[in-house]
């Protein structure tokens, strides 16, 4: 029986989690956003459609702190909550 240890034979390469897997927020960077979202859910009988703005803010915080992969908000289902782009004709018509 050989019990030789092969240090360095295989190198572990970390990779980002698959979509839907969230790393824990160990430092509580987004805890306030999570608490607002959870309070909204409790106040609205866990109807998540009533808490979409809080959900958007929570996910933005997670993306800003690299706790999840950055995704366009429209792709995450928040197209209707995004700021509309400035109207080109309004800008051109001002003196």
């Amino acid at each position: 029986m050989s019990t030789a240890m092969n240090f360095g034979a295989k190198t572990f390469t970390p990779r980002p989690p698959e979509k839907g897997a969230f790393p824990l927020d160990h430092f509580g960077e987004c805890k306030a956003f999570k608490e607002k979202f959870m309070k909204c859910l409790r106040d609205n009988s866990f109807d998540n459609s009533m808490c979409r703005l809080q959900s958007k803010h929570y996910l933005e915080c997670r993306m800003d702190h690299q706790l999840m992969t950055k995704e366009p908000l429209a792709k995450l289902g928040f197209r209707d909550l995004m700021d509309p782009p400035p109207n080109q004709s309004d800008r051109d018509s001002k003196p």
Side-chain angles (χ1 to χ4, degrees), residues 49-81:
S49 67
M50 301 295 291
C51 304
R52 294 186 68 243
L53 186 60
Q54 292 83 353
S55 176
K56 175 183 168 269
H57 291 159
Y58 176 57
L59 294 175
E60 285 175 321
C61 179
R62 290 190 63 86
M63 288 188 279
D64 291 344
H65 290 92
Q66 299 176 353
L67 294 168
M68 66 179 279
T69 305
K70 279 209 180 261
E71 295 276 351
L73 290 172
K75 191 175 178 183
L76 294 174
F78 296 106
R79 183 180 310 267
D80 59 321
L81 296 179

Side-chain angles (χ1 to χ4, degrees), residues 6-15:
N6 293 328
F7 293 107
K10 267 193 166 181
T11 306
F12 173 73
T13 307
R15 59 187 173 90

Side-chain angles (χ1 to χ4, degrees), residues 90-95:
D90 288 344
R91 213 175 350 155
D92 293 339
S93 64
K94 291 184 181 179

Side-chain angles (χ1 to χ4, degrees), residues 19-31:
K19 193 177 219 79
F22 292 89
L24 295 176
D25 184 5
H26 292 287
F27 301 111
E29 296 166 301
C30 298
K31 185 175 182 177

